[in-house]
Amino acid sequence: LAPAPSHRYLALLKLVAAPLLLVLGPLRRKGAQVPKEGGVLVIANHLSDCDPVVIQYHCRRPMIFLAKSELFE
């Protein structure tokens, strides 16, 4: 398994992504709140390539994303 992303990564993501997401317009979040600790599984129906960035931006804790190997071919 890959190591969990650090909190510095999240701070950088929020610093870079926040202005971009504000330009794109308000985003709505539907569904249950993500708990601050313990295991959680977030399943997203991807509508665009920027979905992982948006999902991580709205989540208050580090996340690890899985992808099929064909994505990198």
Side-chain angles (χ1 to χ4, degrees):
L1 288 177
S6 69
H7 291 286
R8 280 186 247 150
Y9 162 76
L10 291 177
L12 178 64
L13 172 71
K14 290 186 186 274
L15 181 70
V16 172
L20 179 62
L21 292 175
L22 287 174
V23 169
L24 294 176
L27 299 172
R28 292 178 295 165
R29 181 170 53 183
K30 292 183 181 180
Q33 297 296 320
V34 176
K36 291 184 179 183
E37 57 186 50
V40 66
L41 183 62
V42 177
I43 301 171
N45 183 12
H46 290 287
L47 301 175
S48 73
D49 291 335
C50 67
D51 285 346
V53 174
V54 174
I55 291 169
Q56 179 62 77
Y57 179 79
H58 280 286
C59 185
R60 303 285 188 244
R61 58 189 265 190
M63 297 177 75
I64 298 173
F65 294 92
L66 302 177
K68 291 177 66 175
S69 62
E70 288 86 8
L71 179 66
F72 303 103
E73 291 178 355

